[in-house]
């Protein structure tokens, strides 16, 4: 639990607001909903567009120990059953020996919205909390309200963001993946072995447990030929070893120009 507490303290310290006279959220961040179109499957493809001031960044869904995770609340929406995110490939940032993962300048985040009744209009409302950072981080809060058209039209900006998604393991030429689990004092140690061609130098492996109460450390990885191994420590709120659902694991390998996302990790 000490490691989990230390990580949270780091994120909170980075999120301390800077003096109000120095800058404001409106000077740093602009947000808009791109209305998009109805897909052939009946879902609606829209996007959240965040534009950041020069030098500022925001974070991916798994932001690393030095990042601040984004939070989305869609409770005020109308005719919305679910919202699925299609995250573009993020970038890895190093600051004072700590790693964070996110986006600089602009993030176009495609949203796939499933309606309760596909024949009726959709009203997308959201309260969004996220961190934006340069030399120091500040918390940002956004309120979004957009009516999505019944048909809509293709949008080159959304389409470009969809093309930036991570590849699947099959697309990347992955031959196999396996995860070995061993208990540690306050949780589990997970060692992941991926048989896949290299994505380039300085690959970063991110493991997401898919269980909300479980914290994952930054991975320590190494490559030998086509085998990439990564070790991650998982700590639950109980501070004890726990049952891990392997089907909920997401393993993402980030390279300098592309990424690979793998769902699930079986035993060796």
């Amino acid at each position: 639990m000490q490691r989990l507490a230390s990580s949270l303290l780091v994120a909170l310290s980075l999120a301390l607001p800077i003096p109000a006279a120095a800058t404001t959220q409106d000077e740093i961040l602009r947000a808009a909903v791109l209305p998009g179109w109805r897909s052939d499957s009946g879902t609606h493809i829209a996007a959240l567009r965040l534009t950041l001031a020069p030098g500022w960044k925001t974070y991916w869904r798994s932001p690393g120990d030095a990042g601040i995770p984004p939070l989305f609340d869609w409770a005020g929406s109308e005719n919305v059953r679910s919202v699925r995110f299609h995250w573009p490939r993020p970038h890895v940032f190093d600051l004072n020996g700590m790693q964070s993962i996110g986006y600089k300048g602009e993030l176009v985040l495609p949203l796939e919205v499933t309606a309760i009744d596909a024949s009726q209009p959709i009203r997308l409302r959201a309260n969004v909390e996220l961190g934006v950072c340069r030399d120091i981080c500040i918390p940002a809060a956004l309120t979004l309200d957009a009516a999505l058209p019944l048909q809509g039209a293709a949008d080159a900006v959304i389409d470009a963001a969809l093309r930036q998604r991570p590849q699947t393991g099959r697309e990347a030429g992955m031959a196999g993946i396996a995860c070995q689990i061993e208990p540690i004092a306050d949780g589990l140690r997970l060692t992941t072995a991926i048989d896949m061609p290299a994505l380039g130098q300085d690959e970063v492996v991110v493991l997401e447990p898919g269980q909300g109460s479980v914290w994952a450390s930054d991975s320590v990885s190494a490559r030998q030929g086509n085998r990439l191994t990564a070790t991650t420590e998982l700590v639950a709120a109980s501070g004890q070893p726990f049952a891990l659902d392997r089907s909920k694991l997401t393993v993402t390998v980030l390279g300098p120009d592309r990424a690979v996302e793998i769902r699930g990790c079986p035993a060796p």
Side-chain angles (χ1 to χ4, degrees), residues 23-79:
T23 192
T24 67
Q25 177 178 312
D26 289 343
E27 293 174 302
I28 297 168
L29 177 67
R30 289 185 290 114
V33 174
L34 304 181
W37 66 90
R38 291 289 171 102
S39 69
D40 292 340
S41 64
T43 59
H44 194 103
I45 306 298
L48 171 61
R49 186 176 198 169
L50 301 178
T51 304
L52 296 151
W56 288 83
K57 62 180 178 287
T58 192
Y59 294 102
W60 187 47
R61 63 177 189 239
S62 181
D65 276 351
I68 302 168
L71 300 174
F72 297 85
D73 179 3
W74 305 101
S77 298
E78 299 174 13
N79 193 30

Side-chain angles (χ1 to χ4, degrees), residues 133-184:
C133 300
R134 191 173 61 183
D135 301 320
I136 192 169
C137 295
I138 66 170
L142 304 171
T143 300
L144 306 174
D145 187 346
L148 304 184
L150 274 173
Q151 294 301 323
D155 187 316
V157 174
I158 300 177
D159 192 54
L162 288 168
R163 291 198 302 270
Q164 292 173 20
R165 68 169 178 81
Q167 295 177 296
T168 65
R170 176 177 294 182
E171 289 169 339
M174 185 183 75
I177 182 172
C179 285
Q180 181 176 334
I181 297 173
E182 57 181 314
I184 55 177

Side-chain angles (χ1 to χ4, degrees), residues 178-266:
C179 285
Q180 181 176 334
I181 297 173
E182 57 181 314
I184 55 177
D186 54 358
L188 303 174
R189 180 177 294 115
L190 190 74
T191 301
T192 306
I194 308 169
D195 293 319
M196 182 178 71
L199 302 186
Q201 295 183 341
D202 301 321
E203 293 169 306
V204 171
V205 180
V206 182
L207 187 127
E208 297 170 85
Q211 297 172 231
S213 62
V214 178
W215 170 82
S217 71
D218 288 346
S219 296
V220 177
S221 60
R223 176 175 283 280
Q224 290 186 332
N226 269 8
R227 170 155 289 194
L228 176 64
T229 59
T231 301
T232 309
E233 294 189 351
L234 307 177
V235 178
S238 65
Q240 298 177 347
F242 59 94
L244 181 67
D245 186 344
R246 291 173 177 271
S247 68
K248 292 184 178 180
L249 292 172
T250 300
V251 182
T252 305
V253 184
L254 301 173
D257 300 309
R258 58 193 181 104
V260 178
E261 184 175 286
I262 305 154
R263 301 294 180 92
C265 192

